[in-house]
Amino acid sequence: MTHPIVKLLTQRIALGLLLLLAASALIFAGTQILPGDVAQSILGQSATPEALANLRAELGLNEPALTRYLHWLGAALQGDLGTALTNGQDIATAMGQRLSNTLFLAACAAVIAVPTAILLGLIAVRYEGRWPDKLISGVTLSTVSVPEFLLGYIAMFLLAVKVTAFPSVATIYAGMSLLEKLQAVALPVLVLVLVVLGHMMRMTRAAILNVMQSAYIETAELKGLRPFVIIAKHALPNAIAPVVNVVMLNLAYLVVGVVVVEVVFIYPGMGQYLVDHVAKRDVPVVQACGLVFAAVYIGLNMLADVIAILANPRLRHPK
Amino acid sequence: MADTLLDVRDLKIAATVYPPGEKPRDIEIVHGVSFTLQKGKVLGLIGESGAGKSTIGLSSMAYGRGGVRISGGQVMLNGRDILAGNEAGLRALRGKEVTYVAQSAAAAFNPAKRLMEQVIEATLKHGRASRAEAEARAVKLFRKLGLPEPEKFGERYPHQVSGGQLQRAMTAMALCPEPDLVVFDEPTTALDVTTQIDVLAAIKEAIHDTGVAALYITHDLAVVAQVADHIMVLRNGAMVEYGDTRQIIEAPHEDYTRALVSVRSIDHEEKRPTPAPLLKVENLNARYRGTAFDVLKNVSVELHPGQTLAVVGESGSGKSTLARAITGLLSPSAGRISFAGRTLSAEMEDRSRDDLRELQMIYQMADVAMNPRHTVGKIIGRPLEFYFGLKGAAKRRRVIELLDEIEMGEKFIDRYPAELSGGQKQRVCIARALAAKPKMIICDEVTSALDPLVADGILKLLLDLQRIEGVAYLFITHDLATVRAIADSIAVMYRGQVVRYGSKAEVLAPPFDDYTDLLLSSVPEMKLGWLEHVIAHRKMESAGA
């Protein structure tokens, strides 16, 4: 007999894949309903009808939309995201470097932000309603409230101009040592951490406070345990599901939503890449970026659900 | 005295209340209670809800729930005043010198941690033993408390064991650090009566064998009489009477104690069946949607006009499902329900307005069965408007009549549910059901959430109303004392089937089937030595079998 959790996880993963398929259809349909087509944008407004017709036939644009969608999806599944219209480069190759840069930036921010947010959440619960709680909430709420481009410029002004501790432009390239890379991305990482910290900390605090009402917390208090031990050992394990969900949402933001920060710091990541090609109306690149972003977003949320399922002892150890 | 463990002197406890629209203020909820507890003795604290039992019990650990705090007096434990200490000092005492067993072990265990980890946690924290020693001690306690597979029991998670087992595990958790005092806070109240007796016997034996002292808190005098050496009767945060258990049970001094002792002594003469039953349930089967398991199996019962059919059984026996099928909330998969000569449709939507009107229902939780934003007048007036089209002065007159019938009167007409006591809320629910002029009322555990004396009042009222209005009751309960008090006929349910059915005299007279025997012999009796007697009797029988 298979463990019921296997069935649950299989279902969840299948659902994630289905969702991704739906997202790919939406992305494809979205780029189709834009006015003008690829042939037009390659040849420009002054192209002759004959030239347009030839190019359309060559690119397969006369095929029905469904056929083109299936071709595109089939190729994408094999790692072929097509070629960029503007420079004829293979998108998968061009994007590979960009994506790894974005993931590097996101990973640096996550490694700092996630543990800090959870720890601050625990401290806020420990001193609920007292000054440490108010201070933590106040500071994180205000950094969340400031738009990230402004945070970016403030950080630049203070840490790159006033005190020349870090470079204001986050340029990284192959061949840099890890330390050099870390120094280069310090400012965008700082901004990203400040942006996501508040949300994660507030949710951790709320989820744990919710659990703190439970009778088993009283049991722990009556065992004479220290307050922080009670919060970390007895409350946190029962707040995993909501905390993981909000952590994953923020991780997804770190990958998908970094566009503004990458532009501010001129960082060679996915955001920059997408913005450049949107401006040039390079539809295959926009589609490919959309697909990758959707995959990251859905994948991380799926991971959150999987962790939440695994963290539930009722599902892990059925009767 | 040298062997005094706990000496509570003039204990005063206050709580902060937040009345809407006013400044928060403190009210005193325990008014100067004093008592002493000798080493190795058991003191029973008894009283109704709100008497301050739990609050006083927790004060032995200097712990106040929510906004509750100790505002005066002394709590001397092992000769020192624990109220004088700071938080760190209290943490050193809690879980080491004094431990606690909560009413609902199901809620008091952390669902995310294995039982063993939780049982030995306090022992390790206070350095009372090494991990290996603590685990060995826990296994020994599991065995003593009659838990299955004691060596492996600790590997399970709370949701993997039954409620009765969890309550024993909580007792093991309390005894593991070898404390001087254990506070038992209604440890068997949430259990079925057949489970309660085993847990009670296990707790009593464990107290006896370890020689620990205990405060045993309960609202059930018959239960505390089995385990306590002394009993303190509390009411509204003050002591009513204190004495040794025999004196309290057999020769109480105070009227209030006498009332508690003689609770559930309503005399009720059972009525003869009439030729035409009002409700006839024939071969009913029912299951919940999406399941392949019959919750009701071939259930057949009858209820005669103006009489009471008590449906009795443990949780999960199908009592409430039967009520849901009769009201049409759950449509049966097979069988027939006829009511007042008509066949009732399976679905509630297909029933006529008269079918709905003549069959009313009252629930266990009166406070969630009423809209908190409606006044009593509006709550009782709703069915008058809906079924009879009454309005204005005529409606008000009828509401007042009904309020008089439930012995509350006109002055309650503009009150909100939050301003009523538990018993008053249940009375309003009764009036609301009566307003529809029903032929039959389904009462689903209507007295289970109430204190014994209040419950008695409700039962008396229901019987009076039956005499005056001629209404029939289908009375669902797990409490056999209630059944004795009000039933004309009884159906005993077990795992979805009616295992015994007949007039009250027939059902409650031997020879019994095994389940009914177990159920009847498990109801605590208000006499000393009852528990030992029953347990010894059962051991003898199982040895003989």
Side-chain angles (χ1 to χ4, degrees):
Chain A
M1 205 193 85
T2 52
H3 201 287
I5 208 163
V6 175
K7 192 181 156 210
L8 210 59
L9 289 178
T10 317
Q11 275 178 351
R12 188 61 199 84
I13 292 168
L15 197 69
L17 294 177
L18 198 69
L19 202 60
L20 188 56
L21 187 70
S24 73
L26 265 178
I27 291 165
F28 188 81
T31 49
Q32 291 306 305
I33 57 172
L34 294 176
D37 66 359
V38 180
Q40 185 86 60
S41 38
I42 292 176
L43 298 177
Q45 293 295 329
S46 55
T48 61
E50 291 78 17
L52 275 177
N54 283 339
L55 189 59
R56 279 192 185 126
E58 194 185 315
L59 293 172
L61 292 179
N62 294 328
E63 304 279 328
L66 185 64
T67 319
R68 280 182 285 130
Y69 168 65
L70 290 177
H71 274 297
W72 173 68
L73 191 66
L77 283 179
Q78 294 164 33
D80 174 13
L81 293 171
T83 46
L85 298 176
T86 41
N87 51 16
Q89 271 182 354
D90 180 50
I91 298 177
T93 323
M95 201 158 69
Q97 186 57 44
R98 301 295 194 125
L99 184 60
S100 74
N101 285 350
T102 291
L103 291 180
F104 176 71
L105 184 62
C108 291
V111 164
I112 298 171
V114 174
T116 313
I118 290 175
L119 189 69
L120 287 178
L122 297 180
I123 293 172
V125 172
R126 168 65 182 88
Y127 299 101
E128 190 208 344
R130 314 228 299 260
W131 71 262
D133 179 23
K134 287 177 181 159
L135 181 74
I136 291 170
S137 292
V139 170
T140 53
L141 271 182
S142 34
T143 60
V144 168
S145 314
V146 179
E148 57 226 70
F149 59 85
L150 187 58
L151 271 182
Y153 289 127
I154 294 173
M156 245 186 246
F157 175 70
L158 291 178
L159 294 173
V161 179
K162 282 277 174 194
V163 186
T164 47
F166 298 105
S168 63
V169 174
T171 329
I172 64 169
Y173 46 85
M176 278 173 93
S177 74
L178 182 65
L179 203 67
E180 286 169 330
K181 275 190 185 176
L182 287 178
Q183 183 158 20
V185 298
L187 286 186
V189 164
L190 175 70
V191 172
L192 286 175
V193 167
L194 289 178
V195 168
V196 295
L197 196 62
H199 191 200
M200 286 195 285
M201 174 266 152
R202 297 286 299 174
M203 275 307 292
T204 305
R205 178 181 178 277
I208 293 179
L209 276 180
N210 199 18
V211 172
M212 292 300 283
Q213 309 294 323
S214 312
Y216 52 82
I217 297 299
E218 183 183 284
T219 307
E221 286 178 33
L222 291 177
K223 281 177 178 172
L225 303 182
R226 307 176 71 85
F228 200 77
V229 174
I230 294 174
I231 295 168
K233 268 183 72 185
H234 283 274
L236 184 60
N238 288 289
I240 289 287
V243 171
V244 164
N245 261 306
V246 74
V247 165
M248 290 301 170
L249 266 180
N250 281 285
L251 291 188
Y253 167 82
L254 285 180
V255 178
V256 176
V258 290
V259 179
V260 175
V261 174
E262 287 188 1
V263 171
V264 167
F265 289 97
I266 321 177
Y267 182 77
M270 285 289 280
Q272 274 276 341
Y273 186 60
L274 176 65
V275 170
D276 286 351
H277 290 81
V278 166
K280 295 174 192 158
R281 297 197 56 188
D282 194 336
V283 174
V285 174
V286 174
Q287 278 177 339
C289 287
L291 197 62
V292 168
F293 282 163
V296 167
Y297 205 86
I298 291 170
L300 285 172
N301 278 291
M302 195 167 73
L303 189 63
D305 285 0
V306 167
I307 293 175
I309 289 170
L310 289 177
N312 184 341
R314 283 172 193 276
L315 298 174
R316 210 159 14 120
H317 306 277
K319 283 196 179 182
Chain B
M1 248 180 293
D3 54 353
T4 296
L5 172 67
L6 180 70
D7 185 0
V8 173
R9 297 176 194 159
D10 195 28
L11 179 70
K12 291 190 172 114
I13 298 175
T16 312
V17 291
Y18 302 88
E22 290 172 48
K23 275 189 187 161
R25 61 186 148 86
D26 283 355
I27 51 164
E28 196 173 87
I29 53 175
V30 171
H31 320 282
V33 167
S34 305
F35 60 91
T36 57
L37 178 62
Q38 310 303 314
K39 282 188 176 140
K41 293 288 181 189
V42 179
L43 171 65
L45 298 182
I46 182 143
E48 304 185 345
S49 51
K53 314 182 289 287
S54 295
T55 315
I56 293 172
L58 285 170
S59 71
S60 67
M61 310 171 85
Y63 186 86
R65 273 194 186 126
V68 169
R69 74 208 129 65
I70 297 167
S71 53
Q74 284 177 307
V75 178
M76 309 287 290
L77 181 78
N78 283 324
R80 65 179 200 282
D81 186 1
I82 63 171
L83 300 183
N86 59 6
E87 272 297 313
L90 289 175
R91 278 203 295 274
L93 163 151
R94 293 174 185 156
K96 180 177 162 198
E97 286 171 75
V98 191
T99 57
Y100 181 71
V101 177
Q103 172 170 359
S104 169
F109 271 106
N110 189 332
K113 299 172 97 65
R114 290 180 197 273
L115 290 169
M116 178 59 86
E117 201 53 43
Q118 305 189 50
V119 166
I120 62 171
E121 188 173 19
T123 312
L124 295 184
K125 192 262 162 186
H126 296 290
R128 303 285 267 189
S130 72
R131 176 169 284 268
E133 283 163 9
E135 286 187 4
R137 216 189 259 182
V139 169
K140 223 165 112 187
L141 285 165
F142 291 156
R143 186 173 294 118
K144 192 196 293 279
L145 288 158
L147 286 164
E149 297 183 88
E151 282 82 16
K152 288 188 177 165
F153 184 79
E155 293 168 22
R156 304 196 204 175
Y157 281 88
H159 70 272
Q160 292 175 306
V161 307
S162 71
Q165 288 170 357
L166 273 183
Q167 210 67 51
R168 291 164 204 240
M170 183 117 203
T171 305
M173 183 157 87
L175 292 174
C176 195
E178 297 183 342
D180 300 323
L181 172 67
V182 182
V183 180
F184 289 95
D185 194 351
E186 305 252 15
T188 64
T189 307
L191 302 175
D192 275 319
V193 68
T194 50
T195 315
Q196 161 170 293
I197 183 169
D198 294 332
V199 174
L200 199 57
I203 288 177
K204 179 165 187 180
E205 204 183 313
I207 291 176
H208 183 262
D209 291 356
T210 53
V212 70
L215 285 178
Y216 197 101
I217 298 161
T218 175
H219 68 277
D220 190 339
L221 195 49
V223 164
V224 82
Q226 308 310 320
V227 292
D229 300 299
H230 291 83
I231 292 178
M232 180 159 80
V233 182
L234 292 157
R235 189 182 197 187
N236 299 331
M239 188 179 88
V240 175
E241 186 167 356
Y242 176 92
D244 76 36
T245 303
R246 181 172 297 278
Q247 178 256 310
I248 295 282
I249 301 294
E250 292 174 1
H253 297 315
E254 299 295 321
D255 286 346
Y256 181 70
T257 315
R258 265 195 288 279
L260 284 181
V261 171
S262 65
V263 76
R264 302 281 165 78
S265 54
I266 299 173
D267 264 339
H268 174 61
E269 195 77 11
E270 83 177 60
K271 297 184 266 296
R272 301 272 104 217
T274 57
L278 172 70
L279 173 83
K280 199 166 175 188
V281 175
E282 292 165 277
N283 309 105
L284 202 66
N285 282 327
R287 60 179 58 174
Y288 285 98
R289 205 170 25 183
T291 62
F293 174 75
D294 277 325
V295 195
L296 292 180
K297 293 172 208 139
N298 208 21
V299 170
S300 300
V301 289
E302 286 181 3
L303 171 58
H304 293 270
Q307 300 199 358
T308 303
L309 167 66
V311 179
V312 60
E314 302 181 0
S315 49
S317 61
K319 317 181 291 283
S320 292
T321 310
L322 177 61
R324 289 174 65 85
I326 294 171
T327 52
L329 289 167
L330 175 74
S331 58
S333 47
R336 211 169 82 99
I337 304 168
S338 37
F339 178 71
R342 317 184 286 267
T343 299
L344 286 182
S345 316
E347 303 280 347
M348 191 158 60
E349 290 79 35
D350 303 335
R351 293 190 180 179
S352 71
R353 186 171 271 218
D354 267 351
D355 285 340
L356 298 177
R357 179 181 65 75
E358 291 178 353
L359 213 170
Q360 292 290 314
M361 189 144 178
I362 313 172
Y363 302 88
Q364 175 174 359
M365 294 297 179
D367 38 357
V368 295
M370 289 188 284
N371 187 331
R373 297 189 176 275
H374 285 178
T375 61
V376 167
K378 187 157 184 184
I379 289 166
I380 302 177
R382 266 298 285 161
L384 297 175
E385 236 173 84
F386 181 74
Y387 290 119
F388 306 112
L390 288 187
K391 283 197 179 71
K395 183 171 92 178
R396 188 180 166 87
R397 241 191 337 270
R398 181 74 185 118
V399 170
I400 292 169
E401 261 175 50
L402 286 162
L403 279 172
D404 286 337
E405 269 193 277
I406 57 166
E407 296 157 10
M408 283 172 67
E410 191 180 348
K411 62 179 183 292
F412 284 93
I413 198 163
D414 291 320
R415 300 254 189 111
Y416 286 91
E419 299 169 296
L420 305 176
S421 70
Q424 287 168 339
K425 283 179 198 165
Q426 199 54 284
R427 280 168 193 259
V428 171
C429 288
I430 293 172
R432 176 172 62 180
L434 278 181
K437 286 198 188 288
K439 290 193 168 137
M440 169 180 160
I441 300 178
I442 297 176
C443 305
D444 192 353
E445 301 269 13
V446 291
T447 54
S448 307
L450 301 174
D451 287 313
L453 289 178
V454 180
D456 250 22
I458 296 284
L459 294 179
K460 281 182 185 133
L461 174 70
L462 284 170
L463 287 174
D464 287 347
L465 292 171
Q466 186 168 57
R467 211 168 38 242
I468 300 163
E469 307 269 341
V471 61
Y473 299 130
L474 184 98
F475 202 97
I476 293 168
T477 181
H478 67 276
D479 180 12
L480 281 147
T482 308
V483 173
R484 285 205 182 88
I486 59 153
D488 298 304
S489 52
I490 301 174
V492 180
M493 289 195 71
Y494 181 62
R495 297 192 176 172
Q497 282 173 309
V498 174
V499 292
R500 193 175 171 91
Y501 173 62
S503 71
K504 177 163 75 172
E506 285 162 16
V507 168
L508 296 183
F512 296 116
D513 58 288
D514 287 351
Y515 180 69
T516 309
D517 186 37
L518 177 72
L519 200 60
L520 288 174
S521 66
S522 299
V523 178
E525 288 175 25
M526 197 79 74
K527 60 183 181 202
L528 300 185
W530 164 82
L531 182 65
E532 284 75 13
H533 177 76
V534 176
I535 297 290
H537 185 71
R538 284 188 187 174
K539 276 190 184 143
M540 219 167 65
E541 276 197 343
S542 63

